[in-house]
Amino acid sequence: MNSVSFDFNTLTPRERYKILIGTVVPRPIALVSTVDREGHANAAPFSFFNCLSSDPAIVALGVEYSPSGHSKDTVRNIRDTGCFTVNVVSGSIMDEMNICAVPFDASVDEIAEAGLTIAPGKAIAAGRIAEAPAALECRLHSFLNIGESREIVLGEVVYAHFHENAIDADKLYVDATVLDAVGRMGGHGYATTRDYFELKTMSVADYKAKTETTIEAKAS
């Protein structure tokens, strides 16, 4: 198979961005809710997001600076209050998430514009979006300074919320079909998680047995 290669040292930031967002897919979307020092709520979606650790429970956000070069409201609020909530974007709130992405003036309440509801946080000041099937309350762990284009925020999950039918509370099994999470692709593309399949991780014994079966099948 022929290949095409790119030296990232020779690419512009925009070119690197285009390659990365088209390659690392689908990316989960964090609809992040925060509050400012006065308690005013804010919500904005970010697809440079994932979980990095379970002990401690750490999630990461990558937030671009605003066009003016300053921190976005989300990061400023996290710095000021030390907390944020990650709300999972399901297919049912895709349009509302997209409204929260509109670059409104600071005086506009994007949560109200989207018709979403804020429920109070249990452990932190930043409330969750009630319509989201799952939400993770996070305390600020740390910031990573990696350059002048994006801020990396690490948060420790301290509380989790789910719609009742989205999780088996005894087995802690999250139902992916109910969660119906939406992921970000390259450009303006999105993807659902409805095309679901399972692929069990094999033990060494399982692998050897499968290999032997394959060899025997080829020999016959």
Side-chain angles (χ1 to χ4, degrees):
M1 177 70 70
N2 294 331
S3 63
V4 179
S5 304
F6 300 90
D7 181 351
F8 264 45
N9 289 320
T10 68
L11 300 179
T12 66
R14 179 63 183 174
E15 290 169 339
R16 294 194 294 266
Y17 172 81
K18 289 176 67 176
I19 289 176
L20 288 173
I21 66 167
T23 305
V24 184
V25 291
R27 299 185 307 282
I29 304 169
L31 182 53
V32 179
S33 50
T34 58
V35 291
D36 63 18
R37 288 175 175 173
E38 287 72 43
H40 302 122
N42 174 274
F46 302 95
S47 68
F48 279 40
F49 157 70
N50 220 311
C51 59
L52 302 184
S53 169
S54 60
D55 186 20
I58 299 294
V59 297
L61 302 173
V63 184
E64 277 188 306
Y65 285 100
S66 65
S68 66
H70 296 96
S71 295
K72 289 187 175 179
D73 292 342
T74 295
V75 170
R76 186 177 64 250
N77 290 347
I78 292 172
R79 287 188 186 279
D80 288 346
T81 65
C83 64
F84 61 95
T85 295
V86 170
N87 302 277
V88 172
V89 176
S90 63
S92 63
I93 61 169
M94 268 294 297
D95 291 338
E96 290 81 357
M97 177 277 295
N98 203 30
I99 292 172
C100 290
V102 174
F104 292 116
D105 182 85
S107 62
V108 176
D109 184 344
E110 63 279 337
I111 298 172
E113 290 290 327
L116 295 171
T117 309
I118 288 290
K122 289 287 189 178
I124 62 173
R128 72 185 190 278
I129 292 174
E131 291 80 4
L136 305 174
E137 294 186 17
C138 304
R139 288 201 180 99
L140 174 63
H141 178 277
S142 56
F143 280 92
L144 294 179
N145 184 6
I146 61 169
E148 298 180 355
S149 67
R150 192 175 294 271
E151 298 179 270
I152 306 298
V153 184
L154 300 183
E156 181 174 0
V157 179
V158 295
Y159 226 95
H161 306 271
F162 295 88
H163 286 178
E164 188 176 24
N165 61 343
I167 189 170
D168 182 322
D170 295 321
K171 298 179 180 179
L172 301 183
Y173 170 76
V174 178
D175 190 329
T177 60
V178 175
L179 202 66
D180 192 25
V182 175
R184 188 71 188 269
M185 305 294 284
H188 297 294
Y190 289 83
T192 70
T193 52
R194 293 168 198 154
D195 186 15
Y196 176 85
F197 64 91
E198 293 191 358
L199 182 64
K200 182 181 177 181
T201 301
M202 294 183 289
S203 66
V204 174
D206 290 338
Y207 171 73
K208 288 182 177 179
K210 181 178 180 180
T211 302
E212 290 172 1
T213 301
T214 301
I215 292 173
E216 290 172 0
K218 289 181 177 179
S220 62

